[in-house]
Amino acid sequence: MNATVDMPVVEVAGGPRLGDSEFEFLRKFVYTHCGISLGEHKRQLVQGRLFRRLRALGLQQFSSYCELLQRDPQSELGELASVISTNVTSFFREVHHYDLLVAELLPRWLEDKRRNGERLRIWSAGCSTGEEPYALAMVLAEAIEEHGANGVDAKILATDLSPQALETARRGVYPLDRLGGISDAHRRRWMLRGSGEYEGLASVHPKLRELVTIQPLNLLHEWPMKGPFDAIFCRNVVIYFDQPTKQRLFRRYAELLPAGGYLFLGHSESLHGISEDFELIGRTVYRKRG
């Protein structure tokens, strides 16, 4: 890449400068490959976070990093996505979603699946470090037990683009201060407290791991799974996307949900003006139209 720096730049003390041409390249690259829109106001954040990535790769300049992306986009895509996005999550975030699952959806789904010999599938899209799918697994495991549905094929698919986030999700080990959203009852049953060198940490119960499949996935690329899913959780993911990208994504979600299937969004997200495939039935809860 021919990078020129002839406009004001943002500097990190003691570090390389992120020039206009390099930032413009990164903006286009990130939008093309991740669907994420980076405004000019994100330049300082991008420079600060990518500076650490440059050091890890032994690179001296942002132009060298851009050249790496040009040579082999896929090799660095997950790392770049981790750098520019913020993986903010917690156990039982937006608890009203779990309340709906426990009180209404899971009992009905499990009864229907058991009667018809069908499988139950939930997708946690943008699972980050795993708190969401493991919280889903807790309520699913308890519903299976409560409703005598041990014979039902029930699984949770958890996907994310960030390699670092997925590594944490696969380990399923969290600092104790990350367990605040878990009730005492759930914590006693589903979290195994560490000791010795694992003091201050807790691991998810093996039964939860059996219910959760964790895979890397770029939501803008081809999806290997064909569905159908009973519910898709896509919470606090599309806040990074522009309107056309959101429309394409929710159209694809609709294709994987049967009529009456559920879509859960984050507290600040809405399908208003984006998709007519779903009807709002509760707080950030949508149902696919028949």
Side-chain angles (χ1 to χ4, degrees), residues 53-280:
R53 185 64 187 149
L54 262 63
R55 293 180 62 183
L57 292 170
L59 301 177
Q60 301 302 314
Q61 301 294 331
F62 285 102
S63 59
S64 300
Y65 186 74
C66 293
E67 289 166 3
L68 183 156
L69 294 176
Q70 283 187 314
R71 288 196 307 270
D72 189 0
Q74 296 305 316
S75 68
E76 182 65 14
L77 182 57
E79 298 290 347
L80 178 58
S82 298
V83 167
I84 62 174
S85 58
T86 303
N87 292 309
V88 177
T89 186
S90 61
F91 286 98
F92 291 94
R93 191 179 189 186
E94 298 177 63
V95 70
H96 58 281
H97 290 166
Y98 298 92
D99 292 340
L100 176 63
L101 284 171
V102 171
E104 180 181 337
L105 299 184
L106 286 174
R108 185 174 79 231
W109 288 341
L110 289 169
E111 176 59 30
D112 290 345
K113 306 300 182 183
R114 182 174 56 184
R115 183 171 60 249
N116 299 322
E118 298 172 340
R119 65 183 198 174
L120 191 161
R121 291 293 185 270
I122 298 173
W123 179 13
S124 170
C127 69
S128 187
T129 46
E131 286 90 336
E132 177 177 278
Y134 287 129
L136 291 171
M138 291 180 199
V139 298
L140 175 58
E142 292 180 353
I144 289 173
E145 180 180 281
E146 180 180 350
H147 298 282
N150 288 314
V152 173
D153 178 4
K155 297 289 184 182
I156 297 164
L157 173 65
T159 66
D160 202 277
L161 179 59
S162 167
Q164 294 96 327
L166 290 175
E167 182 179 352
T168 299
R170 290 193 181 99
R171 286 200 308 267
V173 176
Y174 303 93
L176 294 179
D177 60 11
R178 294 271 293 275
L179 309 186
I182 308 178
S183 69
D184 290 341
H186 279 137
R187 193 180 303 191
R188 286 193 297 269
R189 182 167 189 186
W190 299 116
M191 302 302 298
L192 307 177
R193 189 160 182 166
S195 59
E197 63 178 305
Y198 298 104
E199 185 71 33
L201 301 173
S203 173
V204 298
H205 196 286
K207 287 186 177 179
L208 300 185
R209 297 177 185 274
E210 293 174 2
L211 290 173
V212 178
T213 299
I214 299 170
Q215 297 290 345
L217 183 71
N218 186 330
L219 289 174
L220 298 191
H221 293 178
E222 183 178 352
W223 296 352
M225 60 281 192
K226 304 304 178 184
F229 290 95
D230 298 278
I232 297 175
F233 282 71
C234 182
R235 305 191 300 179
N236 307 303
V237 174
V238 301
I239 54 175
Y240 297 108
F241 298 163
D242 63 9
Q243 195 83 343
T245 304
K246 291 178 183 178
Q247 290 171 338
R248 290 193 298 271
L249 180 62
F250 288 116
R251 193 178 308 122
R252 296 178 74 186
Y253 282 151
E255 293 171 356
L256 292 186
L257 287 166
Y262 286 77
L263 177 66
F264 294 82
L265 300 185
H267 68 278
S268 63
E269 298 168 327
S270 168
L271 292 184
H272 179 70
I274 296 175
S275 175
E276 296 296 326
D277 292 319
F278 300 91
E279 59 179 338
L280 180 65

